[in-house]
Amino acid sequence: MAKILAVTNQKGGVGKTTTALNLCAGLALLGERVLLADLDPQGNATTGCGVVKQDVRRTVYQLLIGNASFAEARLRVAFNDFAFDLLPANRELAGAEIELIELEAREYRLRQALDGVSGEYDFIIIDCPPALNLLTVNGLAAAQAVMIPMQCEYYALEGLSDLVNTLKKVRAHLNPVLEIEGLLRTMYDPRATLTQQVSGELEKHFGDKVYKTIVPRNIRLAEAPSYGKPALAYDRNSRGAQAYFALAQEVLERRQRKEGNTA
Ligand code: ATP
Ligand code: MG
């Protein structure tokens, strides 16, 4: 069965989409069967895969409201030497917020959609929007664990406690197994003293939940989406691409260690 990870942080622009996309690329390159689910009406993960979002007829939106099957909404995206599946999104998804309210089991629509296909993948990575809304709740209800990208800046820790409280509520009401898989330091600039302080605080509070891999600020990561490619396809040797490859390895190791412990 797939390990389902929601990449989430209600704060905007912290690197969620960059992380979701490049983690998928890294895992695919390591031979894992991967699905990227774009749960953000901005559709940035979709664009980052080279898919023209305005042209996609069936997206995760139709899937959530029951107007398309998983097979109809899924696309295959292929790069030089790796490929993965994508559930695309575009602006239409913004309407789901309201339409879902009317529907039965509105928090579990994504989970139900993924239920039947979990066996086809090793990892399903969900890119959440920058809000704690019903779309994000669908992501959190479908996932086994969350990955939290964050910039090591002053307000980050405050935002983190809001997120941790939300996760507690989701666990209590919707998804008792939901865990924090890990916290990822993104856009890291080691020259800033504050960055180092916040990074230290994170390690103090969250211990080994903080990934060893740190993603540096790297222009290649920001350029790659405009070429419709993950960084590992755009400039594999860049520091940014290499960091996400290392993250994919770390995620895989964590999974193997965990399953080794429970086997
Ligand atoms: P949103 O909350 O709007 O969905 P997000 O959390 O998904 O944003 P991204 O879109 O991944 O964040 O990143 C925000 C911007 O920063 C993008 O332009 C992206 O290309 C750039 N970026 C992300 N990570 C890095 C990095 N490590 N180095 C340089 N630029 C980065
Ligand atoms: Mg995003």
Side-chain angles (χ1 to χ4, degrees):
M1 293 304 253
K3 170 103 187 175
I4 307 180
L5 287 177
V7 180
T8 194
N9 189 332
Q10 76 278 14
K11 196 162 160 45
V14 295
K16 291 180 288 297
T17 301
T18 306
T19 297
L21 176 63
N22 288 292
L23 175 62
C24 284
L27 288 168
L29 197 56
L30 288 164
E32 299 295 299
R33 298 167 304 162
V34 181
L35 170 71
L36 171 59
D38 189 349
L39 211 53
D40 186 347
Q42 297 182 94
N44 293 340
T46 301
T47 309
C49 289
V51 172
V52 182
K53 60 191 174 195
Q54 297 87 338
D55 295 351
V56 196
R57 283 276 162 76
R58 299 223 169 86
T59 66
V60 75
Y61 166 71
Q62 278 82 10
L63 182 64
L64 290 176
I65 62 167
N67 282 352
S69 66
F70 179 84
E72 287 170 327
R74 158 177 57 185
L75 297 172
R76 184 83 175 154
V77 291
F79 305 94
N80 275 349
D81 51 357
F82 63 90
F84 54 85
D85 284 356
L86 168 73
L87 275 178
N90 60 29
R91 288 174 59 183
E92 269 191 305
L93 184 59
E97 259 297 296
I98 293 158
E99 288 163 64
L100 281 174
I101 292 174
E102 310 274 299
L103 300 179
E104 211 179 299
R106 60 190 177 202
E107 296 93 353
Y108 291 113
R109 307 294 292 194
L110 181 66
R111 184 186 190 132
Q112 288 166 349
L114 296 179
D115 250 356
V117 296
S118 174
E120 294 177 33
Y121 298 101
D122 300 306
F123 285 91
I124 298 176
I125 309 295
I126 304 168
D127 184 26
C128 294
L132 294 172
N133 59 17
L134 194 47
L135 288 170
T136 297
V137 167
N138 262 268
L140 298 178
Q144 294 144 13
V146 294
M147 177 181 288
I148 306 171
M150 52 187 301
Q151 277 177 271
C152 291
E153 56 187 27
Y154 182 65
Y155 292 112
L157 293 170
E158 206 172 296
L160 197 55
S161 62
D162 292 342
L163 182 55
V164 167
N165 283 333
T166 303
L167 294 177
K168 275 189 196 146
K169 284 187 200 144
V170 171
R171 228 175 270 134
H173 300 290
L174 296 170
N175 183 4
V177 304
L178 187 69
E179 294 181 314
I180 294 181
E181 147 83 19
L183 292 111
L184 177 68
R185 291 164 283 184
T186 60
M187 301 182 219
Y188 197 84
D189 178 2
R191 288 166 304 185
T193 323
L194 181 62
T195 296
Q196 290 185 9
Q197 279 169 5
V198 173
S199 180
E201 287 286 307
L202 265 190
E203 285 172 344
K204 204 166 87 196
H205 288 292
F206 290 92
D208 58 10
K209 288 276 181 204
V210 183
Y211 292 106
K212 289 200 291 292
T213 306
I214 297 177
V215 180
R217 191 169 278 286
N218 178 249
I219 189 71
R220 296 310 220 189
L221 287 170
E223 287 168 358
S226 62
Y227 294 86
K229 289 176 181 178
L232 279 162
Y234 170 63
D235 183 354
R236 179 159 304 177
N237 294 322
S238 62
R239 283 168 61 233
Q242 286 300 310
Y244 278 110
F245 189 62
L247 177 70
Q249 286 172 309
E250 193 175 351
V251 165
L252 211 53
E253 277 161 23
R254 279 192 185 195
R255 180 175 189 182
Q256 283 158 355
R257 211 180 316 135
K258 206 162 177 203
E259 289 176 352
N261 284 342
T262 53

